[in-house]
Every structure is written in structure tokens, then in C-alpha cells.
Amino acid sequence: MIRIGQTTFDLQDPLVLAALIGGALVLLLFVLLILTLRASGRASRLAQPLFALGSRVQQLSDGQQQLAGGLHHVSEAQAVAQTRLLGLMESRLAEVSRGMTESLHGTATRTARSLGELQQRLETIDRAQANIEKLSGNVLSLQDILSNKQTRGAFGEIQLHDIVQKALPPDAYTMQATLSNGRRADCLIHLPIPPGPIVIDSKFPLEAYEALRRAENQSQTLEAQRAMRVAVRAHIRAIAERYVIEGETADGALMFLPSEAVYAELHANFPELVREGFGQKIWIVSPTTCMAVLNTMRAVLKDARMREQAGAIRKELGLLYGDVERLGLRVESLDRHFGQAAKDIEDIKISAEKTGRRARRLDNFDFEELAPETDPAIVPPLPLP
């Protein structure tokens, strides 16, 4: 038992014991609190520098985190920009590649086309060169032909035959025709009388003309002109003596020059030779003027043939007039037949109408039997119409 003042506490009492234990616990807690406060004061004094250091470390950590975040953001932005730049570069490279491909394709196409055109032009040039070489050979052959009198005469005859063949019908001329004097004309045109058949003979004074062209001084020119006059006069005289036959041919003939240059030279510088030819009724013609003369002869032949056929045309017109008269008579006879047929048809129509009227009257008759009144064996007579 414990006595405090006037109050006595029994330690065996549970309530007293509980109060003591509670007070002890309170005291113990108070002591521990005092000790804790003392320790916390000392710790706070020690922890101030550490807290400052921790805050500094925390600031550094925060800065590092911000720096890491900024670096991450910069890295992401750089990655995005790099990706975008790579895409842009790839698209630009694709466009450039496509443009270069199209340009190269177009260049290749144009180059191929140009090469093809160049090849065609080269082929054309080759063909032209071959033609030129062939033409050069033909010119040399023509020079060889014209250097010989016989071949030169054959050349003129061939050219004359081509012109006559184009201008006249086949039965209007004869090539290499033999006359009564035994001479053979290059061409004989069968013109009516008058003027009668006319001869065309081919002459080619080439040596004298070439000498005139090659003349380098006055003496050579005069010599060449003299040779030209001699040659042409000889040709005119030969044609007049050989191919103009009274009663067989026309009173004149044509001298055919197969060169327009020789023809122009004669008319320009030797007009007296042309007049001499006119005086002997020997007319000098070139390929061009010969075609014009032959066309005139064709018109003359056509007019002569029309006059020859005038009697036959008159006879045919008489026969045609008789046929027209017979045709008129037959038309009149046919018209009478048509009139008689029309009259017969009208009579048939009248008869048909009368027959129809009689049939209608018969159809109106009453053929029904009447019933007997007294004797059924007696049949009543039919009513008269």
C-alpha cells in the first residue's frame, strides 16, 4: 500500500495498478520526447549544411534533367528535321532522276530520229551520186554517139520518130518511106492534096556548130561561120533535090534539127540561111516548132477526113430521116389502135353496167312458195315478173 497525503492506494487494486502503469508510460514517453527533442536539435544543426548540399544536388539534378529533356527534345527535333530533309532530298533526287531519264530518253529518241534522217539523206545522196555517175556515163555515151555521123543521124531520126508518134495518129505518117526516085525519107506525112505528102528529113550540122562554139578569136569565128553556112546550104539543097517530087510529094519539105541550140543559132546569127530555105520551100524546124507544125498538120488531116466522110454523113442523115418518118407513121397507127382499144373498153363498161342492173332486178324477185288454201296437191303458179 502507498499513502499519499490523506489518501491510501492499495497496490493490489487493479485500478491503482493500471493508473501507475499508465503514469509510468506517460513519464517514459515524456522522457523519450525530451531526448528526441534534444537529438533533433543537434541533428538540425548538423543537417543544415547537408540540406544545403542536398538542395544544391537537387538543383543540379533538376538542371541535368532539364538539360537531358532539352537534349532529348533537340534530338527528337533534329531526327524529325533529318527525316524531313532525307524525304525532301529523296523526292528531289527522284524528280531529278525522272527528269534526267525523260531528258535522256528524249535525247536518245531525237538522236535516233536524227540518225535515221541522216541515214535517209545519205542514202538519197548515194542514189543521187549513182544517178550522177550514170548520167555522166550517158553524157559520155551521147558525146560518143554525136561524134559519129551515122549514129548522130540515127539519134535525130529517133527523136523525130518520138515527136511524130506523139503528135499524129499511126496511119497519118510513114517512117523511112521509100519514094519513086529510090530515096528513103526519114518521115513522110500523108497530107491530102493539096498540098500532098510532105517529107521531114533530120539533119544535124554538129561539127560546124561546135567549131563555132570553140572559136577563140575572130579568124576562128569566121572560119566556123563559113563552115556552118556551107553545111546548112548543103543540107537544104540535098533535101530540095531528093525529097521534093512533082506529082508525088508536096512542093516543099521540112528539115528537122534535133538541137534547139543549133536552131536558135541559125535564126540569131544566120538569118540568110533561113531565108534561103524559105526560097527553096525547105522549112527548118526544131523539136519545139516541129511539134507545133505537126499539130497543125493533124488539124488539116482531121478536116480532110471530115470532108471525105461528108457524103457518108449525108447518106446516113437521109436514112435517119426515113426512119423518123416511119416512126411517125407507126406512132399514128399505134395511136389509132389505142383509140379503138379505148372505145372497146368503154363499150365493155356499158355492157357490164347493163348486166349489173339486170342482175339487181332479178335479185329483187320473191321466189318463196305460197301455202295452199284448199287442195295441197295443187301448186300455185309462179308470179310473172
Side-chain angles (χ1 to χ4, degrees), residues 5-31:
Q6 298 294 327
T7 305
T8 303
F9 299 96
D10 189 1
L11 296 177
Q12 296 297 326
D13 190 358
L15 294 174
V16 175
L17 184 60
L20 290 175
I21 293 171
L25 290 174
V26 170
L27 182 60
L28 181 60
L29 291 174
F30 181 73
V31 172

Side-chain angles (χ1 to χ4, degrees), residues 32-66:
L32 289 175
L33 179 61
I34 292 173
L35 293 175
T36 301
L37 291 174
R38 290 180 179 179
S40 62
R42 190 181 296 112
S44 61
R45 289 193 299 271
L46 294 174
Q48 289 179 355
L50 294 176
F51 180 75
L53 181 60
S55 62
R56 183 64 176 175
V57 171
Q58 184 65 31
Q59 292 177 359
L60 291 175
S61 177
D62 294 338
Q64 185 177 3
Q65 291 179 358
Q66 292 178 359

Side-chain angles (χ1 to χ4, degrees), residues 64-81:
Q64 185 177 3
Q65 291 179 358
Q66 292 178 359
L67 180 61
L71 291 175
H72 181 70
H73 181 71
V74 171
S75 177
E76 289 180 353
Q78 185 177 3
V80 172

